[in-house]
Amino acid sequence: MPAEIKGLNEECGVFGVWGDNCAAELTHLGLHTLQHRGQEGAGIVGLTPAGLRRHYGLGLVSEVFRDPQSVTQLQGTAALGHVRYSTAGGRILENIQPLLFRFTTEAIALAHNGNLTNALSLRKKLEAAGAIFQSTSDSEVLMHLIRLSQQPTFELQLIEALNQVHGGFAFELLTQSALYAAVDPNGFRPLVIGRLSSGGYVVCSETAALNAVGAEFVQDVQPGQLVIIDDSGMRVRAYTTHTQLAVCSMEYVYFARPDSEIYGISVHEARVRMGMRLAHEQPVDADIVVGVPNSSLSAALGYSRASGIPYEMGLIKSQYVARTFIQPTQELRERSVRLKLSPVRSVIKGKRVVLVDDSIVRGTTARQLVQLFKDAGALEVHLRIASPPLRFPCFYGIDIQTTRELMAANHSVAEMRDIFGVNSLAFLSTQGLIDSVGLSDTAPNGGLCVAYFTGEYPTPLEDYAPALKQELSQLQLHVSEVSA
Ligand code: AMP
């Protein structure tokens, strides 16, 4: 394991269709709706009369599928699509999904959202036994495990394989006879099922993508469930009963679209509640509340509602600049914050501003924004973050895999306040986040994974444990602030 902990398969979006004559076109539309979940590359495998066919590439969905022919050539009654998140490492064409495996008797497409905690050790074992991998992505491990299984049917082979991989996953597999979908035993990564008016089914990462293709919501795929859809309809079975709900809280905080619902909770409403709770926990006397578009607007609205401080359009976002987080170098990231966000001077000048953002990762956005607000004549800037300080890495599929880059792991809140040069800085409490989402009364942490804030991981970290221990031993000082 390299010194810097880095997985190869992070946040992604998946979209599968079975039983509709426009399967490839619907998948293309669905991937556009899921574009926020991954901008590094995209791909679609279509079940055509000639078998499974794939088109994929690096870039945005609109770039990969610029030529309309790239979608029409995939025409058939089923399809599987994927958008992949950008990371500094692993940016090679071989990692763009769906992966397509061709065997003498059949072909299988595989798409994965998440990160496996035992992929490396499984891969080493498989390689030692002669397996040949085509990508550096850990998703491929599942296919090798399926093929090695001695079970009599594909379904049972898949179940055996699903019980060997650990961590965060929403898998979809497309064969010539069925579409399969499965979620890990903790439900870290979301996956939902929808029904099309044609009678066909959609299985995808977010309900916003169901809405985009006119599919009616059927159900969330529950932790430990395997869904099988074929020409005789849909079946749902448990591949394991050892489950414990721990949905990734960053899905609610930042990642998912506000118009999606995860396990019945509206992402927008959850964010509004986070902002309201933040206003109660961390009040401040100010003239206006401004949110950082787009992911923080719901929380800013909540802060304004609960505090009675008017909400203002103090920041404008250019619709045509991609997310800053994914820029490969710090200098590029800083420049793109300014390109992407610009303050409305007439609104901000002479005002005491509560600036609400959903999270602080490296601190690039906050640092740049505070400077922009000061340049625009803000009298005071009070930074309020609608999630707790991100201090620990995620190993289940969010691209936060090294503490070294996490600002709150390296600095106390007081230090961060000084670095940003704000009048005050405060975060939402972990309990505040759990209550705001309001997912479950019975599961630990209200059914959320809050490991990035507490360092308490819902599962063993396996391959990642030694490197994390080493990283954390160097960060004792600020990690010890966690319970504060
Ligand atoms: P930073 O500028 O590095 O502090 O990143 C903070 C911004 O990135 C916040 O405004 C969030 O909206 C966004 N963000 C939070 N988590 C992630 C993530 N896992 N991937 C991409 N962007 C994120």
Side-chain angles (χ1 to χ4, degrees), residues 122-443:
L122 283 172
R123 189 178 173 125
K124 276 185 185 159
K125 242 188 268 173
L126 289 162
E127 280 182 10
I132 297 165
F133 283 80
Q134 51 169 302
S135 73
T136 61
S137 123
D138 55 3
S139 320
E140 211 182 330
V141 165
L142 187 83
M143 188 53 64
H144 287 273
L145 295 173
I146 294 170
R147 295 299 287 191
L148 282 173
S149 169
Q150 298 299 308
Q151 293 292 333
T153 65
F154 180 79
E155 191 172 318
L156 292 173
Q157 290 165 5
L158 175 57
I159 288 175
E160 193 169 273
L162 288 169
N163 278 289
Q164 292 173 71
V165 291
H166 304 151
F169 57 82
F171 277 120
E172 284 200 63
L173 292 97
L174 178 65
T175 71
Q176 282 182 257
S177 48
L179 176 70
Y180 300 83
V183 164
D184 66 72
N186 296 97
F188 289 115
R189 308 264 65 98
L191 198 64
V192 291
I193 307 173
R195 191 89 203 254
L196 293 158
S197 55
S198 60
Y201 286 90
V202 175
V203 185
C204 63
S205 299
E206 290 188 35
T207 58
L210 291 183
N211 300 338
V213 298
E216 200 179 310
F217 174 80
V218 175
Q219 69 161 88
D220 293 273
V221 182
Q222 300 291 329
Q225 277 187 341
L226 169 64
V227 181
I228 305 117
I229 299 166
D230 59 20
D231 287 342
S232 59
M234 179 180 92
R235 274 186 303 124
V236 180
R237 62 183 289 183
Y239 66 85
T240 176
T241 49
H242 297 290
T243 59
Q244 177 74 263
L245 192 67
V247 185
C248 171
S249 54
M250 287 304 286
E251 290 278 354
Y252 289 103
V253 168
Y254 164 77
F255 217 79
R257 282 173 54 133
D259 52 339
S260 282
E261 288 184 10
I262 306 173
Y263 288 102
I265 306 283
S266 152
V267 172
H268 164 70
E269 300 295 349
R271 289 178 187 167
V272 171
R273 289 191 293 270
M274 289 172 209
M276 295 178 77
R277 178 72 172 250
L278 183 60
H280 289 304
E281 290 183 357
Q282 303 290 351
V284 63
D285 206 12
D287 303 314
I288 54 171
V289 174
V290 175
V292 182
N294 289 322
S295 50
S296 309
L297 296 183
S298 309
L301 188 67
Y303 196 100
S304 165
R305 262 188 213 167
S307 64
I309 303 171
Y311 179 81
E312 261 292 2
M313 277 269 287
L315 261 180
I316 302 299
K317 181 178 179 177
S318 162
Q319 305 302 323
Y320 304 101
V321 182
R323 286 187 169 193
T324 49
F325 193 86
I326 60 170
Q327 297 289 346
T329 69
Q330 187 60 18
E331 195 194 332
L332 276 174
R333 264 182 229 120
E334 282 170 15
R335 205 176 307 151
S336 52
V337 170
R338 281 172 178 266
L339 268 179
K340 197 172 72 168
L341 296 165
S342 83
V344 182
R345 270 177 182 272
S346 59
V347 168
I348 288 163
K349 198 168 174 345
K351 299 281 180 17
R352 294 170 302 160
V353 182
V354 183
L355 179 59
V356 178
D357 203 354
D358 56 81
S359 53
I360 287 179
V361 183
R362 298 183 186 90
T364 319
T365 314
R367 212 181 305 215
Q368 298 284 314
L369 279 181
V370 170
Q371 195 53 50
L372 286 175
F373 273 62
K374 286 184 172 171
D375 293 347
L379 211 55
E380 291 174 16
V381 180
H382 300 274
L383 190 55
R384 291 292 177 274
I385 307 299
S387 61
L390 274 163
R391 292 192 167 111
F392 298 91
C394 168
F395 303 102
Y396 308 119
I398 284 267
D399 182 25
I400 300 175
Q401 299 213 347
T402 169
T403 44
R404 211 188 305 150
E405 288 182 2
L406 292 175
M407 192 172 188
N410 296 284
H411 299 281
S412 67
V413 174
E415 280 172 1
M416 286 196 277
R417 183 197 57 215
D418 295 343
I419 293 169
F420 294 142
V422 284
N423 298 81
S424 70
L425 166 66
F427 292 78
L428 181 65
S429 68
T430 303
Q431 193 56 51
L433 172 62
I434 292 167
D435 294 344
S436 302
V437 176
L439 192 58
S440 158
D441 293 335
T442 49

Side-chain angles (χ1 to χ4, degrees), residues 466-483:
L468 177 65
K469 203 169 160 205
Q470 195 198 334
E471 272 202 8
L472 293 185
S473 66
Q474 294 156 6
L475 291 162
Q476 278 307 332
L477 188 64
H478 299 295
V479 167
S480 65
E481 249 197 4
V482 167
S483 54

